[in-house]
């Protein structure tokens, strides 16, 4: 690999005009062969091309996977907030082809949000919501209810 990089750099330096005259003539003669243009043998050039293609495929697959994960998050948020679905997101998830799930960091965030919502729905959450309510209103309602109970009790006791 280092040999190929060295050859590629030296061939580029030669192309800039810093190489010897005899080497430039060799390159001009072999310019029709791409391997010779890069200063490699045919086998080295083919191996290099395979590596380039494999790396590009890996990058494309990783990019498609990330796009699908983001689309999955958007779908999740749309379901949570009852927003209309997006065909583009569903297509991106299908293009990934694999079982797409939320990335670990996003999954933790979603779980934390769900726990917070569950806490709000619980009895303790309701008690905390009472703290945010207007205490004067609660007091007035409690006193009115107490007065009603007291009056009904007095009426029952006077009859006896």
């Amino acid at each position: 690999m280092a040999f190929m990089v060295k050859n590629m750099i030296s061939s580029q330096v030669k192309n800039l005009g810093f190489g010897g005259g005899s080497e430039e003539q060799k390159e001009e003669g072999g310019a029709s062969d791409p391997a010779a243009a890069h200063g490699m043998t045919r086998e080295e050039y083919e191996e290099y091309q395979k590596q380039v293609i494999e790396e590009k495929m890996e990058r494309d697959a990783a990019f498609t996977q990330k796009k699908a994960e983001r689309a999955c998050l958007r779908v999740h948020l749309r379901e949570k907030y009852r927003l209309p679905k997006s065909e583009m997101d569903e297509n991106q998830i299908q293009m990934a082809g694999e079982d797409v799930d939320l990335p670990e960091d996003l999954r933790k965030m979603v779980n934390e949000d769900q726990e917070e919502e569950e806490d709000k729905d619980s009895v303790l959450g309701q008690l905390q919501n009472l703290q945010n309510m207007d205490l004067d209103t609660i007091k007035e309602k409690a006193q009115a209810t107490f007065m009603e109970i007291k009056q009904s009790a007095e009426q029952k006791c006077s009859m006896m």
Side-chain angles (χ1 to χ4, degrees):
M1 183 80 178
F3 175 74
M4 291 190 311
V5 172
K6 182 179 175 185
N7 283 340
M8 287 175 34
I9 293 172
S10 65
S11 69
Q12 296 211 1
V13 170
K14 290 175 193 173
N15 289 339
L16 293 174
F18 296 117
S22 63
E23 291 175 358
E24 286 180 9
Q25 290 174 355
K26 287 180 188 175
E27 288 215 359
E28 288 177 13
S32 63
D33 187 21
H38 289 287
M40 299 180 212
T41 64
R42 189 79 168 143
E43 293 81 26
E44 290 174 337
Y45 184 73
E46 288 174 0
E47 183 65 29
Y48 172 72
Q49 288 297 326
K50 286 180 186 177
Q51 287 176 350
V52 167
I53 291 171
E54 288 173 1
E55 290 172 359
K56 183 181 183 325
M57 290 173 60
E58 288 174 8
R59 284 192 312 270
D60 289 347
F63 180 68
T64 303
Q65 181 68 22
K66 287 290 183 185
K67 284 175 63 174
E69 288 173 353
R70 291 182 195 119
C72 185
L73 176 66
R74 288 190 298 269
V75 166
H76 175 75
L77 291 174
R78 282 191 177 98
E79 288 174 0
K80 180 178 178 180
Y81 295 110
R82 296 180 184 96
L83 299 172
K85 293 182 179 181
S86 169
E87 276 188 43
M88 184 178 77
D89 287 341
E90 292 173 7
N91 291 339
Q92 286 179 349
I93 293 171
Q94 289 176 356
M95 284 176 47
E98 301 172 6
D99 185 27
V100 179
D101 201 13
L102 294 177
E104 191 64 32
D105 297 341
L106 296 176
R107 186 178 302 127
K108 287 179 184 177
M109 290 172 40
V110 168
N111 289 340
E112 288 173 3
D113 287 346
Q114 286 178 344
E115 288 173 6
E116 287 177 13
E117 288 181 12
E118 289 171 0
D119 287 344
K120 288 180 183 178
D121 292 340
S122 70
V123 173
L124 293 176
Q126 294 298 326
L127 289 176
Q128 289 175 349
N129 286 341
L130 288 177
Q131 291 175 353
N132 298 335
M133 291 179 69
D134 185 19
L135 292 177
D136 292 332
T137 307
I138 294 172
K139 246 186 226 183
E140 289 173 8
K141 286 182 181 179
Q143 286 177 350
T145 305
F146 179 73
M147 294 303 265
E148 287 177 23
I149 293 172
K150 185 177 175 184
Q151 287 175 356
S152 69
E154 286 176 354
Q155 287 177 356
K156 287 182 183 176
C157 287
S158 66
M159 289 184 179
M160 294 173 94

